[in-house]
C-alpha cells in the first residue's frame, strides 16, 4: 500500500493538499478533471504484494502517458493505448547509453527510441506528441544532457503546455 511508504510527517503536513486515492491495476478511477488508468510497469519492488505502475491520464481533450520507473512497456499497457492519440509521454530515461544492468527496470535512450517508433507505427504518438525524458540519473548521462529530437529532457521547474 502506498500509505506504508508515505512518511507520517509528510502526510500530516500535506494532508489538506494531497488526496490519496487507492487504485487497482487497469481499473479506471476519476479525479476532479482527469480519468486515470493504472498500467503495470516493469520494475521490481521489495514487497511481493506490491507492483509499480505507469499511468494513462485522460482529460476532456488531452491524453498523457506517465511512464516512469519501469523498463519497456507491457503488452497489456500497450493495448490500453490502442486507438488513442497521446498528446504527451513522460518516459523513464534513467540511462543514456545501452548496456547498463539497470535496463531490467529502467530505459536507456535506445529503448525509448524503439518504443517511440513502435507507438508511432500504431499512430498512438505522432509528430505533435510531446515526448519528455525524465528520471535521468546524473551519473548515467553525459553532461551537458543532450537528447535527440523529438525528445525533450525534463528539468526542475519545467512546465509544459499541451
Amino acid at each position: 500500500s502506498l500509505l506504508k511508504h508515505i512518511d507520517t510527517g509528510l502526510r500530516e503536513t500535506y494532508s489538506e493538499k494531497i488526496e490519496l486515492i487507492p487504485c487497482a491495476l487497469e481499473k479506471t478511477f476519476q479525479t476532479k478533471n482527469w480519468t486515470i488508468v493504472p498500467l503495470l510497469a516493469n520494475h521490481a519492488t521489495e514487497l511481493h504484494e506490491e507492483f509499480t505502475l505507469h499511468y494513462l491520464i485522460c482529460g476532456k481533450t488531452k491524453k498523457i502517458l506517465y511512464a516512469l520507473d519501469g523498463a519497456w512497456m507491457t503488452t497489456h499497457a500497450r493495448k490500453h493505448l490502442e486507438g488513442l492519440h497521446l498528446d504527451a509521454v513522460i518516459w523513464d530515461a534513467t540511462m543514456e547509453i545501452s548496456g547498463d544492468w539497470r535496463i531490467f527496470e529502467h530505459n536507456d535512450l535506445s529503448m525509448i527510441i524503439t518504443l517511440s517508433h513502435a507507438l508511432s507505427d500504431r499512430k498512438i504518438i505522432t509528430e505533435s506528441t510531446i515526448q519528455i525524458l525524465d528520471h535521468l540519473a546524473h551519473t548515467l548521462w553525459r553532461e551537458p544532457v543532450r537528447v535527440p529530437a523529438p525528445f525533450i529532457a525534463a528539468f526542475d521547474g519545467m512546465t509544459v503546455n499541451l
Side-chain angles (χ1 to χ4, degrees):
S1 141
L2 178 61
L3 293 176
K4 290 180 196 173
H5 300 291
I6 297 177
D7 178 82
T8 303
L10 287 174
R11 237 183 303 155
E12 291 170 3
T13 303
Y14 295 104
S15 64
E16 293 179 17
K17 297 178 183 176
I18 296 174
E19 178 185 2
L20 296 177
I21 301 172
C23 62
L25 182 62
E26 298 182 2
K27 301 294 182 196
T28 301
F29 67 92
Q30 300 283 137
T31 66
K32 184 176 180 182
N33 296 313
W34 302 96
T35 300
I36 302 170
V37 182
L39 304 170
L40 186 62
N42 181 29
H43 192 292
T45 64
E46 293 181 17
L47 302 174
H48 177 70
E49 70 276 5
E50 186 177 69
F51 46 87
T52 56
L53 299 170
H54 290 165
Y55 298 93
L56 173 60
I57 305 167
C58 302
K60 290 182 182 179
T61 61
K62 303 294 181 181
K63 294 176 182 58
I64 303 164
L65 177 63
Y66 182 84
L68 296 186
D69 263 353
W72 298 105
M73 178 183 296
T74 67
T75 300
H76 286 292
R78 202 262 323 142
K79 286 180 180 178
H80 275 279
L81 304 178
E82 197 65 38
L84 300 179
H85 169 262
L86 295 174
D87 297 284
V89 179
I90 304 166
W91 296 111
D92 177 302
T94 300
M95 301 139 312
E96 177 181 13
I97 300 169
S98 299
D100 189 273
W101 64 269
R102 292 169 188 88
I103 63 166
F104 299 101
E105 296 183 335
H106 299 281
N107 294 319
D108 64 39
L109 184 56
S110 68
M111 294 162 72
I112 295 164
I113 291 169
T114 300
L115 285 162
S116 180
H117 285 298
L119 294 180
S120 292
D121 288 348
R122 305 293 301 165
K123 308 286 190 262
I124 295 167
I125 61 175
T126 64
E127 290 179 6
S128 67
T129 302
I130 299 169
Q131 296 189 66
I132 300 167
L133 305 185
D134 201 351
H135 202 273
L136 288 78
H138 296 290
T139 58
L140 299 174
W141 278 81
R142 291 175 281 202
E143 295 287 340
V145 171
R146 291 193 173 101
V147 299
F151 304 106
I152 303 166
F155 56 86
D156 292 344
M158 180 180 191
T159 59
V160 176
N161 293 315
L162 299 178

